[in-house]
């Protein structure tokens, strides 16, 4: 009998507000320790938290985009535990009444199959501070810049059945929060991380197995590796006649293994109770409707539209909607060459994507803007240059040498389409290679490519390949 894997994720996403969830301190990443912590973040007695309204709007936008119910009334609760980076002794979170609940998101698997993953709830909370171990010998530093940073924790149903599904789901959430502009999703800076709950059960068994929770995974690869390891470990435990212990574990990338957290790092009884310093969050329908009306076209819908409007494959449309910035860029390219959407798509995904990758740039920092790339695609479309020469022009544009037209003129790259001129070159090439010409006449079609290549060489790649092909055929066949 085989085992079935069951996974539920709790994803912590930092909301992209300029100030913290309950204080006016800045949330900018990378400031000197404790320069962005106010009395509220430091947990001084007698100070009062005030909820940042933008955080609420962001949570509602997330809820609307995932088909969640927006709670008309939700409550902040205190989650009590002791840790040096939590001077208050409690974290403000939401417990019984989260701000949104009961939604879903569809994932796509490698074979193209779609699957709906349930979202149990998403609640607002503040982040804790950070303990610094590296620069201190025998001591620990505490940086409270991060304390009070707004988070939305997105809790899924235990609907995923493999590491692949879990990663696909995490990627979709990542795409969505960035798409909505509610988070920068920066995983290196800790703005997007997750806890993976993993259990196994016999195929066909209706009851869930005992789960373990792997804390604080901050890359897609680690989520994948950690789950794979944990599933294998649990199978081994059960097949050896043992029992899985419900516990929190950590993934160690160096060992590529999970291990139990020291019990000190675990807090089992948080004694949640409503925070008496904060009023219930009451959300009126008018606000929900206002936010609904300003929601952008969502990734799935945009993907479908790009596919039908521009005749792109579902795969291409998926790549072009990886982020809103890519989709906007693509549509701006098409706006400047409306007749060649497929060609525009190939250039955005191919040459541009490659150059961005090579230089480690986001599309927003592209050295070639959308209108300029459109200008290049237009010259391929109207056959001023071939696709091959276009790559040379692209590199020059990337290096900042100007527009496509300026580079084509300056370097004399215009395609030779003058039939008379091309005929003369074809004749030269035939005269220079008499034996190959005879073989081609005799039916050795492979040699066609040789002759096209010779003409291209003589014209530095500027001959129109289709035309050259036709001319050689006319002469030798
Ligand atoms: P807690 O708040 O104690 O971590 P929850 O019951 O809220 O626990 O569940 C947290 C996450 O664990 C959810 O994503 C849920 O889908 C998942 N989960 C719950 N039970 C299991 C299980 N047996 N196997 C895998 N995942 C589970
Ligand atoms: Mg949990």
């Amino acid at each position: 009998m085989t085992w079935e894997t069951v996974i539920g994720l709790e994803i912590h996403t930092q909301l992209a507000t300029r100030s913290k969830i309950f204080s006016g301190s800045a949330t900018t990443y990378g400031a000197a320790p404790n320069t962005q912590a106010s009395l509220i973040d430091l947990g001084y007695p007698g100070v009062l938290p005030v909820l940042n309204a933008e955080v609420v709007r962001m949570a509602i936008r997330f809820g609307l985009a995932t088909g969640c119910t927006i709670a008309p009334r939700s409550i902040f609760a205190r989650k009590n535990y002791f840790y040096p980076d939590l001077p208050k002794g409690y974290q403000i979170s939401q417990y019984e009444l989260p701000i949104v609940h009961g939604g879903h998101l569809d994932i796509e698997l490698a074979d193209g199959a779609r699957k709906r993953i349930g979202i149990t709830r998403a609640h607002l909370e503040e982040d804790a501070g950070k303990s610094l171990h590296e620069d201190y010998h025998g001591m620990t530093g505490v940086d409270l810049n991060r304390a009070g940073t707004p988070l939305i924790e997105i809790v899924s149903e235990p609907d995923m059945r493999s590491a692949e599904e879990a990663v696909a789901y995490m990627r979709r959430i990542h795409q969505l929060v960035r798409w909505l502009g509610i988070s920068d999703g920066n995983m290196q800076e800790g703005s997007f991380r997750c806890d993976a709950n993993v259990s196994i059960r016999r195929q066909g068994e209706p009851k869930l197995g005992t789960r373990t929770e792997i804390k604080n995974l901050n890359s897609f690869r680690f989520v994948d590796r950690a789950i794979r390891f944990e599933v294998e470990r649990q199978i081994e435990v059960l097949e050896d006649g043992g029992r899985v212990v419900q516990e929190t574990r950590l993934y160690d990338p160096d060992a590529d293994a999970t291990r139990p957290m020291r019990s000190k790092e675990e807090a089992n009884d948080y004694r949640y109770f409503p925070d008496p310093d904060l009023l219930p969050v009451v959300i009126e329908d008018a606000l929900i409707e206002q936010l609904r009306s300003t929601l952008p076209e969502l990734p799935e819908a945009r993907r479908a539209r790009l596919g039908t409007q521009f005749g792109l494959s579902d795969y291409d449309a998926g790549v072009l909607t990886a982020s809103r910035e890519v989709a906007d860029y693509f549509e701006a390219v098409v706006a400047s060459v409306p007749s060649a959407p497929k060609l525009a798509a190939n250039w955005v995904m191919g040459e541009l994507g490659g150059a961005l990758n090579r230089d480690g740039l986001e599309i927003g920092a592209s050295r070639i803007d959308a209108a300029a790339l459109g200008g290049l695609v237009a010259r391929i479309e109207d056959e001023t240059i071939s696709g091959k020469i276009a790559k040379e022009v692209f590199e020059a544009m990337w290096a900042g040498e100007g527009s496509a037209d300026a580079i084509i003129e300056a370097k004399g790259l215009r395609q030779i389409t003058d039939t008379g001129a091309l005929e003369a070159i074809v004749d030269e090439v035939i005269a220079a290679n008499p034996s190959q010409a005879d073989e081609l006449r005799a039916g050795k079609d492979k040699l066609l490519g040789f002759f096209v290549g010779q003409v291209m060489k003589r014209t530095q790649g500027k001959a129109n390949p289709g035309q050259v092909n036709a001319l050689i055929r006319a002469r030798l066949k």
Side-chain angles (χ1 to χ4, degrees):
M1 272 229 280
T2 53
W3 297 99
E4 180 179 54
T5 301
V6 175
I7 302 158
L9 296 185
E10 297 163 88
I11 299 180
H12 304 260
T13 304
Q14 182 175 326
L15 294 170
T17 54
R18 288 203 313 214
S19 59
K20 292 185 179 175
I21 183 168
F22 300 119
S23 80
S25 310
T27 52
T28 330
Y29 181 82
N34 299 310
T35 55
Q36 290 176 175
S38 69
L39 296 182
I40 292 172
D41 312 314
L42 293 167
Y44 270 50
V47 296
L48 285 175
V50 177
L51 180 59
N52 181 339
E54 185 61 13
V55 163
V56 173
R57 288 191 284 266
M58 287 177 165
I60 295 173
R61 284 157 64 82
F62 175 80
L64 290 172
T66 49
C68 281
T69 302
I70 315 297
R73 185 169 175 280
S74 65
I75 302 278
F76 282 103
R78 291 185 180 180
K79 179 179 178 176
N80 300 279
Y81 65 95
F82 172 80
Y83 210 73
D85 63 20
L86 189 75
K88 288 204 296 284
Y90 60 87
Q91 176 194 22
I92 304 175
S93 181
Q94 294 188 307
Y95 187 54
E96 277 160 273
L97 286 176
I99 193 153
V100 305
H101 66 274
H104 53 80
L105 196 61
D106 292 347
I107 60 169
E108 193 186 286
L109 303 169
D111 63 2
R114 305 226 164 181
K115 178 171 173 177
R116 177 154 289 190
I117 306 298
I119 292 174
T120 316
R121 54 186 273 158
H123 58 259
L124 291 168
E125 60 185 27
E126 59 176 345
D127 209 345
K130 208 162 89 181
S131 300
L132 308 167
H133 305 288
E134 276 160 29
D135 301 331
Y136 301 90
H137 299 287
M139 291 188 288
T140 294
V142 174
D143 177 8
L144 294 172
N145 282 353
R146 196 178 196 101
T149 296
L151 302 178
I152 186 165
E153 177 175 335
I154 304 155
V155 182
S156 84
E157 290 291 303
D159 283 349
M160 288 149 278
R161 293 291 173 267
S162 65
E164 185 207 352
E165 289 186 10
V167 171
Y169 167 76
M170 193 175 170
R171 283 191 186 279
R172 293 282 287 118
I173 295 278
H174 188 248
Q175 174 195 36
L176 183 63
V177 295
R178 296 180 67 217
W179 193 282
L180 294 171
I182 65 173
S183 176
D184 63 18
N186 189 321
M187 296 171 92
Q188 281 83 45
E189 295 178 3
S191 305
F192 194 82
R193 52 194 201 261
C194 96
D195 303 337
N197 296 269
V198 181
S199 67
I200 59 168
R201 62 182 169 187
R202 291 284 183 193
Q203 206 72 249
E205 163 68 48
K207 256 181 50 204
L208 292 177
T210 305
R211 70 180 151 122
T212 59
E213 180 172 357
I214 313 162
K215 286 279 187 194
N216 242 335
L217 298 162
N218 63 355
S219 86
F220 297 118
R221 204 172 69 85
F222 290 171
V223 169
D224 181 68
R225 300 298 314 165
I227 292 172
R228 283 177 201 276
F229 174 87
E230 185 57 18
V231 168
E232 287 308 310
R233 189 191 67 85
Q234 292 185 12
I235 290 175
E236 213 163 285
V237 168
L238 293 183
E239 291 192 343
D240 285 350
R243 298 175 60 176
V244 172
V245 181
Q246 180 163 351
E247 63 187 355
T248 49
R249 299 178 69 91
L250 282 178
Y251 174 69
D252 175 353
D254 297 321
D256 189 26
T258 67
R259 57 168 174 81
M261 270 177 142
R262 279 176 287 130
S263 55
K264 254 199 337 203
E265 290 168 330
E266 221 176 328
N268 290 315
D269 188 354
Y270 295 123
R271 300 271 164 159
Y272 282 98
F273 64 86
D275 191 313
D277 288 341
L278 286 158
L279 293 166
V281 181
V282 174
I283 295 168
E284 284 166 359
D285 286 345
L287 176 63
I288 298 176
E289 289 324 310
Q290 185 226 321
L291 291 169
R292 195 196 305 276
S293 68
T294 56
L295 222 51
E297 185 182 24
L298 295 176
E300 284 281 288
R302 192 151 184 194
R303 177 176 181 170
R305 176 174 64 77
L306 292 192
T308 42
Q309 186 175 341
F310 300 120
L312 303 175
S313 71
D314 188 47
Y315 175 84
D316 287 357
V319 175
L320 292 168
T321 49
S323 73
R324 216 166 126 190
E325 291 73 23
V326 172
D328 288 347
Y329 186 102
F330 166 70
E331 289 208 68
V333 175
V334 176
S336 62
V337 264
S339 60
K342 174 64 185 153
L343 195 56
N346 289 345
W347 276 81
V348 172
M349 295 186 295
E351 217 60 21
L352 181 79
L356 292 170
N357 248 333
R358 188 183 63 204
D359 291 6
L361 298 174
E362 293 288 328
I363 199 155
S366 171
R367 298 192 205 286
I368 301 178
D369 70 28
L373 187 66
L376 174 63
V377 174
R379 294 293 84 83
I380 310 169
E381 172 74 355
D382 68 14
E383 299 196 331
T384 302
I385 54 172
S386 68
K388 191 145 172 260
I389 292 289
K391 293 188 180 181
E392 193 182 327
V393 177
F394 180 90
E395 284 308 326
M397 292 170 76
W398 192 259
E401 292 175 31
S403 70
D405 285 336
I407 292 164
I408 292 167
E409 285 321 313
K411 300 194 173 201
L413 296 174
R414 195 171 273 280
Q415 192 159 237
I416 305 169
T417 50
D418 173 349
T419 312
L422 286 178
E423 265 174 352
I425 298 165
V426 166
D427 288 340
E428 278 171 41
V429 169
I430 292 171
N433 301 282
S435 62
Q436 283 94 334
D438 286 341
E439 285 178 61
L440 182 55
R441 275 193 200 94
K444 197 169 171 190
D445 280 0
K446 272 207 309 221
L447 283 167
L448 194 60
F450 165 77
F451 280 100
V452 175
Q454 291 298 309
V455 174
M456 283 303 181
K457 214 164 138 192
R458 285 184 188 233
T459 58
Q460 284 109 39
K462 287 185 291 187
N464 178 308
Q467 244 177 317
V468 172
N469 232 292
L471 286 172
I472 296 168
R473 277 177 186 282
R475 278 283 191 280
L476 296 179
K477 303 222 52 171

